[in-house]
Amino acid sequence: MNTAAKLSAYGAALALVAGGAWVAGTAVGPFPGPAAEAHGGEEAAHGDVHGGTVAAVADHQPGGLASAAGGYTLTPAGTTLTPGATTKFTFTITGPDGAAVTAYDVEHEKRMHFIVVRRDNAGYQHLHPDLAADGTWTVPVTVADAGSYRAFADFTPSGGQAQTLGIDLVAPGLFQPVDHPESRVADVDGYRVRLDGDLIPGRSSRLTVTVTKAGRAVTDLQPYLGAFGHLVALRGGDLGYLHVHPDGEPGDGKTPAGPGVTFFAEVPSAGTYRLFLDFRHDGVVRTAAFTAATGAGDRP
């Protein structure tokens, strides 16, 4: 298959080829078959209730690789962003009947989770658009730099199944791709966040993030979107989208408010994943980013 065909097959708008950077539009590896999904243990018991990742594995594809799936289509009013400025971005979701969807279930306190990230995994944003009566979603999007971006709409239409649709956006201009070497420790605003656990393709993987500040454990994390942490994982290469949430919830009498937050995630194939953790403390939501390879184990 030639390069143009590969890019078409995976819906990529840009290939990043600078010194081992993430490459959009290339396959990451074979997707596991049904046999790979047969597993047991504690992780298996959690596989069908955390973040909807089992459905992605069962379909042999993560979410967000297409703008249309399951009878639903994401249609933006435009696909151009202006670097350094705020764009009033609007879009609709049409259903199997071709009409704009106007009723959505509330999932994790919102009817729509809208993720924007540059294709080299820089500039990550987790946004929540507003819905008009006619089914039009509106959200201000601000990108600092030029480049090709991927936007994901994560939603559940009322009476339907959870969906994640993706589209490419472009911010015109020259840019330098950013490489992300493997790292399981992130420093953000004086906080240090560590990611522990194995990402094992085709099975539920237990991940734990631990939050400290100035060397002390943070034990009073505040709920954000109904949880003590919110994790999004993107597969290297095609930005396949996995949306996972922690084990337990605030106020359930058994889930501590830090320093550790446990997640159960399923990755559909071997490779490298970029993970983004949103957490709230002292009234501010911060994002810690990690890069982890499948089977890498616990390491700094």
Side-chain angles (χ1 to χ4, degrees):
M1 180 182 294
N2 59 33
T3 301
K6 288 183 180 179
L7 291 174
S8 174
Y10 288 97
L14 178 69
L16 304 176
V17 294
W22 298 59
V23 181
T26 57
V28 176
F31 295 109
E37 298 164 28
H39 53 80
E42 179 185 12
E43 290 83 357
H46 289 81
D48 59 350
V49 294
H50 293 280
T53 54
V54 168
V57 174
D59 293 339
H60 296 179
Q61 293 282 0
L65 294 179
S67 61
Y72 295 89
T73 302
L74 167 59
T75 304
T79 58
T80 301
L81 306 174
T82 301
T86 298
T87 299
K88 183 180 179 182
F89 188 79
T90 61
F91 63 95
T92 58
I93 304 293
T94 54
D97 60 358
V101 178
T102 58
Y104 295 82
D105 290 345
V106 173
E107 298 286 348
H108 305 286
E109 300 186 347
K110 299 293 181 179
R111 289 181 292 179
M112 174 72 70
H113 298 269
F114 193 72
I115 308 298
V116 178
V117 64
R118 205 166 68 179
R119 277 203 168 268
D120 60 350
N121 278 280
Y124 174 87
Q125 300 178 61
H126 181 166
L127 308 172
H128 299 108
D130 294 320
L131 178 63
D134 66 353
T136 299
W137 291 96
T138 302
V139 61
V141 177
T142 305
V143 296
D145 301 305
S148 180
Y149 288 78
R150 189 69 174 170
F152 302 92
D154 182 349
F155 62 93
T156 301
S158 294
Q161 299 294 316
Q163 305 288 335
T164 301
L165 304 178
I167 52 170
D168 282 324
L169 308 175
V170 63
L174 298 176
F175 80 103
Q176 178 63 44
V178 178
D179 193 15
H180 302 283
E182 185 170 355
S183 175
R184 289 171 169 259
V185 176
D187 293 308
V188 52
D189 295 341
Y191 294 82
R192 172 157 287 191
V193 188
R194 179 185 175 97
L195 173 72
D196 293 294
D198 287 316
L199 290 172
I200 303 175
R203 59 169 289 180
S204 182
S205 301
R206 182 187 180 101
L207 304 175
T208 300
V209 294
T210 303
V211 184
T212 60
K213 185 177 184 181
R216 297 183 177 181
V218 175
T219 58
D220 57 347
L221 291 172
Q222 298 164 317
Y224 175 60
L225 301 177
F228 287 127
H230 189 281
L231 187 67
V232 168
L234 300 177
R235 184 170 64 182
D238 59 6
L239 301 191
Y241 176 97
L242 304 173
H243 197 177
V244 296
H245 289 275
D247 186 38
E249 61 184 27
D252 63 4
K254 61 182 180 180
T255 302
V261 184
T262 297
F263 296 85
F264 289 88
E266 294 220 14
V267 295
S269 63
T272 301
Y273 289 78
R274 187 73 168 159
L275 300 98
F276 300 92
L277 171 75
D278 292 326
F279 66 98
R280 175 182 280 158
H281 189 245
D282 286 342
V284 178
V285 176
R286 299 171 173 86
T287 302
F290 314 93
T291 303
T294 50
D298 297 350
R299 64 176 68 178

